[in-house]
Amino acid sequence: MNLENKIAIITGATSGIGWSTALVFAKAGAQVVATGRDFSRGESLLNEMNRLSNKEHLFVQADVTDHGEIKKVIDSTVKKYGTFNILINNAGIAPQGTIETMTVEEWDKVFNVNVRSIFLFSKYSVPVMRQNGGGSIVNISSTAGVVGAYNLHAYSASKGAVIQLTKSMAADYGKDRIRVNALCPGGTLTKMMEDLEGQEGLKKFAELFPLKRLAQPEEIAQTALFLASDQASFITGAVVLADGGFTAV
Ligand SMILES: NC(=O)c1ccc[n+]([C@@H]2O[C@H](COP(=O)([O-])OP(=O)(O)OC[C@H]3O[C@@H](n4cnc5c(N)ncnc54)[C@H](OP(=O)(O)O)[C@@H]3O)[C@@H](O)[C@H]2O)c1
C-alpha cells in the first residue's frame, strides 16, 4: 500500500497510535502534517519522519479543544501544500468515571477532545477535499464505542458518537468522493492504556482478547493506512474493528 502524492493531517500524533500512524504514513510516501500539544515530542516525531522519508513533513502545535488552533492547522497545511487528501482524527482522552463520579467539566472535556474536535477538523477539511476531487477521513473510535465499558461512561458515549458522526458524514459526502470511516482499536499498548490499566492490569486485560495479547500501535496504524489509501476505494461509512477479537465474544 502506498500513499505517494497524498498529504495527510494526523491529530494526536505526539504519542501512541497517532505517532505510529505518522511514521507508517511517512514510510508509505505521504507528506504528513502531524499535530499535538507537546512541542518537544512533536519535534522528535518530525525528525524521525524526516529520517524515514525525503518528503517535507510538518508539525503544527495545537490544542484540539481550541477552535482557532484547529483552523491554524488547516491553514498551515493549505499554505504549505496547497491542499490535502487525508485526515486522521485520532486525538483522544479516556478519563475514568461513571455518570455519578464524573463532574460536568470532566464530561464536557471528553466530548470536546473526542467529538467536537472531529466536527471542527472535518468541517474545515471537507471543502478542501471536495475542491481537490475527494479524500479520506478516518475517525478513531474504540471498541468502547461499540460495546459498553466499565467506569468509562463519557469515553464510551463519546466514541459511540464518533461512529454515528462517521456514518452520517459518509452518507452526505460520498457524492464528493470523500470516504469517511471509523476505526475502532481494541486495547493497544500506549500511554493511555498504561494509565488506565497499570502494568499488572495490562496482563489481566490481555486475557480477555481471543488473541491473548494487546495490540502494538503499529498494528492500528497499518489498518489506518489501508482505510486512508486508494486500496480501500469502495469502503465508506464502515466501522472497522482492529480489536484482537475483543467484541466477537
Ligand atoms: N490505546 C488504546 O487501547 C485505545 C483503544 C481504543 C481507542 N483508542 C483511541 O486511539 C486514539 C489515540 O490514543 P492513544 O492510545 O494513542 O493515546 P495516547 O498515547 O495518550 O495519545 C493521545 C494523543 O492525543 C493527543 N491529545 C489529547 N488531548 C489533546 C488536546 N486537547 N489537544 C491536542 N491533542 C490532544 C495527545 O497529544 P499531547 O500528548 O501532545 O497532548 C496524544 O498525541 C484516541 O482517540 C483513543 O481514544 C486507544
Side-chain angles (χ1 to χ4, degrees):
M1 264 171 296
N2 85 71
L3 296 180
E4 286 297 334
N5 303 318
K6 306 279 191 200
I7 298 145
I9 296 179
I10 302 173
T11 73
T14 44
S15 176
I17 291 169
W19 176 286
S20 280
T21 303
L23 296 183
V24 163
F25 278 31
K27 268 194 238 167
Q31 286 180 294
V32 176
V33 180
T35 179
R37 283 175 305 186
D38 190 295
F39 187 77
S40 84
R41 278 188 270 120
E43 288 284 288
S44 304
L45 174 64
L46 190 56
N47 288 337
E48 266 205 56
M49 290 194 294
N50 287 337
R51 262 196 315 111
L52 284 174
S53 88
N54 56 6
K55 301 278 165 56
E56 265 199 55
H57 307 291
L58 189 64
F59 171 69
V60 186
Q61 185 181 30
D63 185 325
V64 301
T65 63
D66 185 318
H67 190 165
E69 294 198 0
I70 290 176
K71 276 190 173 159
K72 182 182 77 180
V73 176
I74 304 285
D75 291 347
S76 311
T77 305
V78 172
K79 188 167 172 217
K80 185 170 173 74
Y81 303 103
T83 189
F84 59 97
N85 332 75
I86 295 168
L87 170 66
I88 310 294
N89 280 312
N90 166 75
I93 53 171
Q96 290 183 310
T98 65
I99 47 160
E100 286 181 295
T101 60
M102 291 190 91
T103 64
V104 173
E105 290 72 25
E106 285 166 337
W107 177 277
D108 287 346
K109 181 156 186 216
V110 172
F111 271 76
N112 270 340
V113 176
N114 294 4
V115 187
R116 182 177 177 266
S117 76
I118 297 185
F119 153 57
L120 289 172
F121 265 102
S122 303
K123 180 180 183 64
Y124 298 117
S125 297
V126 161
V128 177
M129 290 180 174
R130 181 189 288 124
Q131 202 182 17
N132 194 34
S136 173
I137 299 176
V138 179
N139 294 327
I140 306 300
S141 175
S142 168
T143 51
V146 178
V147 295
Y150 292 106
N151 201 32
L152 279 170
H153 290 193
Y155 180 73
S156 181
S158 74
K159 293 300 187 179
V162 169
I163 288 175
Q164 294 311 325
L165 176 59
T166 299
K167 291 179 180 176
S168 300
M169 283 168 54
D172 278 307
Y173 302 125
K175 65 181 181 319
D176 299 310
R177 298 165 55 99
I178 300 171
R179 297 183 297 104
V180 191
N181 291 292
L183 168 54
C184 300
T188 306
L189 290 162
T190 66
K191 183 173 181 312
M192 176 184 283
M193 184 47 60
E194 277 167 29
D195 290 349
L196 282 173
E197 298 291 333
Q199 279 307 323
E200 268 313 295
L202 287 178
K203 282 191 205 131
K204 269 202 218 147
F205 189 42
E207 284 304 308
L208 301 177
F209 292 71
L211 290 183
K212 301 296 173 202
R213 66 177 180 84
L214 302 180
Q216 293 297 333
E218 180 165 347
E219 296 180 277
I220 308 304
Q222 293 291 350
T223 314
L225 170 62
F226 169 63
L227 288 173
S229 75
D230 291 340
Q231 275 70 30
S233 51
F234 204 56
I235 302 180
T236 196
V239 180
V240 176
L241 290 148
D243 71 346
F246 184 79
T247 54
V249 288

